[in-house]
Amino acid sequence: MALRPHVHWAQRHRELFLRVDLSDVRNPDITITDNVLHFRAQGHGAKGDNIYEFEIEFLEPVEPKPVCRMTQRQLNITVQKKESNWWERLTKQEKRPLFLAPDFDRWLDESDAEMELKEKEEEKINKMKIESRVPKDPFKHLKKGYLIMYNLVQFLGFSWIFVNMTVRLFILGKDSFYDTFHTISDMMYFCQTLALMEIMNSLIGLVRSPVLPSVMQIFGRNFVLFVILGSLEEMQSKPVVFFIFYFWSITELFRYPYYMLSCIGIEWKPLTWLRYTVWIPLYPLGGLAEAVCIVQSIPIFSETGKFSLGLPNPLNVTIQFPFVLQIYLIALFLGVFVNFRHLYKQRKQHLGPKKRKMK
């Protein structure tokens, strides 16, 4: 004879609740056919760790798709009634099965259930009234269209950079390292200048991302691109430029299409995983490449005196730009840590473990 677990039940006008007293449930098989619920699973019950099964033929028609939620101590099944009414009992047979008992934790009599249903309907009506009072944004579709176009343009720009650099690497090999800036800089200037809009988007509330991480990343990149690489011809032929541009472009290949699809309510799980995983090796490598670039530029700035403030001047102070770069190096690694922590929290939020749910 099959082992049957203890099952507790309760009802509302529109649904039935079943609580199966099995812990550590494995391989559950729960279906409804011909108005009969079939249950079979392995778990720890009154007879130890075994396979338990039971069948319940419902009193009235129900929907054939039960919703199940497992916890470590029990398994909960919710079944929707086809018609909203109150049943005098759960099963078609008048005699209650021995394994079935009322769930007094959720039990309500018909009058209490009607009151609960009425409260839920009133709550729903009140929520609709509140939502109707909130003014609709007349520019909602315009904002969405702008964000889609922005992310699309950035994706195409960084895709061009990545493909161009990859093709040149395969054709020219290491020789492609030395003229990366002269080949790619115009597109990188465009993409990184356009990226300033991300700060504006956060400030005016177009997107919900915090402002500080965006400011740190965008101004950090633009400082390297415009101040160091753009102003020193000696730095433009350094191999480190290739790695900076390559790490930046690979990261954005997944970030911008992810945001673009999010604007239209689409989530593609492989892309979500890549967006919140690829940065783990690339972000520290990009920060390291930027640091190497700054270190290599310090002797050149010392020799040329470019951007240094000498005497006499209105401030009556001497500021050596190489010293500013040394201070910036410390800020760079602090910024990498802050952004790494921010991205790690985002990864846990999007890819972290969720409650087990089975339909």
Side-chain angles (χ1 to χ4, degrees):
M1 183 178 293
L3 296 176
R4 289 184 173 83
H6 294 300
V7 180
H8 304 269
W9 79 284
Q11 68 169 316
R12 300 296 184 266
H13 283 82
R14 296 174 182 171
E15 52 200 357
L16 302 166
F17 304 109
L18 301 175
R19 174 166 56 85
V20 184
D21 286 348
L22 284 180
S23 60
D24 300 321
V25 176
R26 302 181 298 280
N27 306 320
D29 183 13
I30 305 166
T31 58
I32 295 178
T33 55
D34 298 328
N35 216 49
V36 178
L37 184 141
H38 305 272
F39 176 92
R40 179 182 173 88
Q42 184 167 355
H44 193 89
K47 300 294 183 179
D49 195 344
N50 280 296
I51 294 177
Y52 293 83
E53 54 187 281
F54 65 85
E55 292 183 355
I56 294 177
E57 184 176 5
F58 294 109
L59 177 65
E60 295 184 19
V62 297
E63 297 293 341
K65 294 182 179 180
V67 177
C68 306
R69 290 180 177 83
M70 288 184 290
T71 66
Q72 191 174 0
R73 300 180 59 184
Q74 63 191 28
L75 186 147
N76 298 304
I77 305 172
T78 303
V79 179
Q80 297 294 326
K81 299 176 180 179
K82 282 197 172 181
E83 295 182 1
S84 178
N85 54 31
W86 194 258
W87 294 5
E88 62 181 22
R89 60 179 184 274
L90 177 66
T91 60
K92 191 171 184 179
Q93 65 183 71
E94 293 187 6
K95 186 177 180 181
R96 178 176 60 85
L98 295 177
F99 65 88
L100 192 62
D103 186 351
F104 291 109
D105 292 335
R106 305 190 71 166
W107 193 266
L108 291 178
D109 58 31
E110 185 174 3
S111 59
D112 291 336
E114 287 177 351
M115 186 175 296
E116 182 186 70
L117 183 62
K118 185 177 180 181
E119 289 175 355
K120 287 183 178 180
E121 289 178 348
E122 289 178 353
E123 183 179 349
K124 186 177 179 180
I125 293 172
N126 291 334
K127 186 178 179 181
M128 292 174 64
K129 287 181 179 178
I130 293 173
E131 290 177 352
S132 64
R133 292 172 189 167
V134 178
K136 293 183 178 180
D137 187 355
F139 303 106
K140 179 180 179 181
H141 297 295
L142 184 62
K143 292 175 181 178
K144 183 182 292 187
Y146 156 73
L147 290 174
I148 292 172
M149 288 303 301
Y150 169 79
N151 288 293
L152 177 61
V153 170
Q154 288 286 56
F155 169 67
L156 293 176
F158 279 106
S159 296
W160 184 92
I161 293 171
F162 173 77
V163 171
N164 192 301
M165 293 180 67
T166 302
V167 171
R168 288 173 53 80
L169 179 63
F170 277 105
I171 295 175
L172 302 176
K174 293 181 180 179
D175 292 338
S176 67
F177 291 176
Y178 304 102
D179 64 347
T180 296
F181 186 85
H182 299 94
T183 308
I184 305 296
S185 59
D186 288 342
M187 182 60 73
M188 188 61 79
Y189 279 143
F190 170 77
C191 290
Q192 284 304 130
T193 303
L194 188 61
L196 293 170
M197 294 302 299
E198 294 183 28
I199 301 174
M200 184 62 64
N201 295 340
S202 297
L203 286 173
I204 65 178
L206 274 180
V207 295
R208 290 182 294 178
S209 58
V211 177
L212 182 60
S214 299
V215 170
M216 295 177 68
Q217 175 171 307
I218 293 167
F219 276 99
R221 285 186 179 183
N222 285 349
F223 180 82
V224 171
L225 178 62
F226 289 95
V227 177
I228 296 178
L229 299 179
S231 65
L232 294 179
E233 291 187 7
E234 298 90 338
M235 288 299 301
Q236 294 172 5
S237 58
K238 299 282 187 181
V240 71
V241 179
F242 175 89
F243 294 100
I244 291 174
F245 285 6
Y246 211 57
F247 292 145
W248 288 357
S249 63
I250 295 174
T251 303
E252 308 303 9
L253 280 180
F254 304 108
R255 188 167 73 97
Y256 286 116
Y258 170 80
Y259 287 143
M260 183 174 62
L261 292 179
S262 296
C263 290
I264 55 179
I266 296 176
E267 181 179 0
W268 187 36
K269 289 185 179 180
L271 181 60
T272 303
W273 186 88
L274 287 169
R275 187 267 176 271
Y276 290 107
T277 304
V278 166
W279 64 267
I280 295 175
L282 291 180
Y283 198 77
L285 289 173
L288 181 61
E290 293 174 29
V292 170
C293 178
I294 293 170
V295 170
Q296 291 180 346
S297 71
I298 288 176
I300 303 174
F301 280 113
S302 297
E303 183 179 345
T304 60
K306 202 166 192 175
F307 300 134
S308 293
L309 186 64
L311 293 173
N313 60 69
L315 298 177
N316 200 30
V317 293
T318 301
I319 301 176
Q320 297 296 327
F321 192 65
F323 176 73
V324 175
L325 291 179
Q326 293 172 15
I327 300 298
Y328 178 76
L329 272 176
I330 299 173
L332 173 65
F333 287 108
L334 288 175
V336 169
F337 172 76
V338 171
N339 274 349
F340 198 96
R341 185 180 177 186
H342 168 68
L343 290 169
Y344 179 72
K345 287 182 178 179
Q346 283 192 323
R347 189 177 193 275
K348 285 181 66 177
Q349 179 181 347
H350 288 85
L351 302 179
K354 298 178 180 178
K355 291 182 179 180
R356 298 171 67 186
K357 184 176 178 179
M358 179 183 63
K359 290 188 177 180

